[in-house]
Amino acid sequence: MNSTYKAFWLEGGDLVVIDQTLLPFKLATKTLKTSADATLAIQDMTVRGAGVIGNVAAFGVYLAARESQGDLEKIKNLAAVVRCARPTAVNLMWAVDRMITVLEKAASKKLDLIEVALKEAIAIADEDVIGTRNIGKFGCELIEAIAKTKPKGEPVNILTHCNAGWLAIVDRGSALAPIYEASDRGLNIHVWVDETRPRNQGANLTAWELGQSKIPHTLIADNTGGLLMQYGKVDLCIVGTDRVTRSGDVANKIGTYLKALAAFDNQVPFYVALPSSTFDMHIVDGLKEIAIETRSADEVLYMQGLQDNGELGKVRVAPLETSALNYGFDITPAKLVTGLITERGICEAAETAISAMFLDLIP
Ligand code: MRU
């Protein structure tokens, strides 16, 4: 795999992943040896983010091939379990389907399915690397254009939600790819990082990633973005996504829709960055057709963090008798999206524009 930053890598034929549930306080790894390990790692969010979920699912199919000694029917049964690990990010289904299609063809030619599966999973990851580099370049042009309008010394302020960096898609992320590119080009930027309750991917992961790359950033409570936009302190929003419909509706981490509404009200450009594997061309209406994951109420009722004794721990933040609802994602309608930053260029979030740029993806 050719990536610079790695959320996962191969070691002796097994898949090693960074355990994202422990960041930023502990940098630890887990070794996935079976397809069931891959499914669990996706479900318990050891790995997360649409792109990396897809990668781990693809390697999960390779692990399935290994454990079933290349028996296609057994691989398909195990792959079907991996495919259901989480419901919203379409990269998961896309990656498993691509792996199975390739394995079916290889089986008809009597090729070694373990070898073919490994090669294909690596190919998917390598394509992501090229994709995120291109997303970075196209998105950076937007940042560069704003930078030119700024008085000397004033940064371009970019707001992002959740984590759509290299922990979420190799090797530069989607929403963070233009930010990394802008930093490489020496542009003066500053990132507002939404904490992203309930699981705090912004506070735990995005702030950590940006800190590692020495990119100026400020963590804000999820509800702060609207006021910052009213104050004129946000030049543009860039978020990632887990699934985009043929008409440009966007599923992303819960809270994205509210940021898009605030951006619309304040004429702040609101961009969504994605590789083409995140399009779901089978569907049109995001609200009606995208399954929104519901996660454990405990993620809302408790918060995890570093305790004074240096250990990771969790505390309850609501009365013992209070129940909670925990939707993982929401839908931002296409009309609130200024544009889609893809590896092929920037595309209007509308069916005609998407179909024109991604004709080959339409079923
Ligand atoms: O629940 P998560 O952490 O997997 O959600 C991640 C997001 O919502 C990201 O913004 C999205 O996957 C885009 S990053 C490729």
Side-chain angles (χ1 to χ4, degrees):
M1 283 175 285
N2 297 321
S3 60
T4 312
Y5 299 104
K6 292 185 175 76
F8 57 87
W9 57 90
L10 286 161
E11 237 173 65
D14 298 329
L15 189 70
V16 179
V17 298
I18 292 181
D19 184 349
Q20 299 192 28
T21 64
L22 303 178
L23 286 172
F25 307 112
K26 276 189 195 157
L27 183 53
T29 58
K30 276 188 185 169
T31 301
L32 313 183
K33 291 176 181 290
T34 65
S35 63
D37 289 347
T39 302
L40 185 62
I42 294 169
Q43 278 169 344
D44 70 12
M45 293 179 68
T46 298
V47 292
R48 32 67 51 206
V52 168
I53 289 173
N55 295 130
V56 172
F59 282 105
V61 177
Y62 149 67
L63 295 172
R66 198 176 65 174
E67 65 199 273
S68 52
Q69 279 139 20
D71 179 314
L72 183 63
E73 283 319 302
K74 285 187 186 154
I75 300 172
K76 281 180 162 176
N77 288 337
L78 293 170
V81 179
V82 179
R83 198 180 186 279
C84 295
R86 287 183 74 186
T88 306
V90 76
N91 302 61
L92 167 62
M93 299 83 189
W94 171 87
V96 172
D97 293 348
R98 171 167 159 173
M99 293 291 292
I100 295 301
T101 306
V102 167
L103 289 176
E104 278 173 342
K105 275 192 200 139
S108 70
K109 293 183 196 155
K110 307 244 178 303
L111 297 176
D112 178 339
L113 297 195
I114 304 171
E115 234 172 65
V116 171
L118 180 59
K119 218 170 130 203
E120 192 63 15
I122 292 173
I124 291 174
D126 285 344
E127 285 167 30
D128 281 344
V129 175
I130 297 166
T132 69
R133 293 276 162 173
N134 287 330
I135 290 169
K137 286 187 182 123
F138 289 119
C140 185
E141 284 166 21
L142 299 168
I143 299 174
E144 224 156 23
I146 297 171
K148 285 189 184 132
T149 68
K150 288 266 165 184
K152 208 169 170 337
E154 259 194 39
V156 178
N157 285 298
I158 305 153
L159 184 142
T160 193
H161 190 69
C162 195
N163 171 263
W166 64 262
L167 289 165
I169 170 166
V170 279
D171 72 339
R172 288 218 145 182
S174 48
L176 293 195
I179 289 167
Y180 285 127
E181 180 71 24
S183 169
D184 283 355
R185 291 189 199 177
L187 296 177
N188 187 2
I189 53 169
H190 166 262
V191 185
W192 297 112
V193 179
D194 279 353
E195 59 176 345
T196 319
R197 276 285 284 152
R199 287 190 66 99
N200 293 317
Q201 289 94 329
N204 292 341
L205 306 177
T206 301
W208 181 76
E209 272 196 38
L210 294 175
Q212 296 289 308
S213 291
K214 308 218 173 336
I215 295 175
H217 62 281
T218 306
L219 182 66
I220 50 174
D222 284 328
N223 301 322
T224 307
L227 182 70
L228 288 174
M229 291 185 213
Q230 288 172 316
Y231 281 164
K233 291 185 180 216
V234 181
D235 295 302
L236 93 154
C237 302
I238 311 179
V239 299
T241 171
D242 291 81
R243 194 183 291 231
V244 174
T245 70
R246 207 165 70 213
S247 62
D249 289 347
V250 169
N252 192 45
K253 183 53 54 197
I254 194 81
T256 302
Y257 170 50
L258 294 179
K259 288 299 133 66
L261 279 174
F264 186 77
D265 195 42
N266 291 281
Q267 293 93 49
V268 173
F270 188 90
Y271 283 93
V272 177
L274 68 149
S276 53
S277 49
T278 307
F279 279 113
D280 185 346
M281 297 296 193
H282 294 98
I283 60 171
V284 179
D285 186 324
L287 211 47
K288 289 200 184 120
E289 296 178 273
I290 297 179
I292 298 291
E293 178 179 24
T294 309
R295 296 189 62 84
S296 163
D298 281 0
E299 292 180 354
V300 178
L301 296 170
Y302 293 83
M303 273 182 87
Q304 176 179 287
L306 193 66
Q307 302 174 119
D308 289 344
N309 63 6
E311 295 293 319
L312 277 181
K314 51 183 208 170
V315 288
R316 191 167 171 109
V317 292
L320 288 175
E321 63 279 9
T322 297
S323 57
L325 173 65
N326 186 13
Y327 284 128
F329 300 89
D330 61 21
I331 305 295
T332 301
K335 65 180 179 195
L336 297 180
V337 177
T338 310
L340 303 169
I341 308 170
T342 77
E343 76 270 27
R344 297 189 193 178
I346 296 178
C347 180
E348 193 192 334
E351 188 157 358
T352 39
I354 293 171
S355 310
M357 195 179 273
F358 296 95
L359 193 60
D360 54 310
L361 303 185
I362 305 219

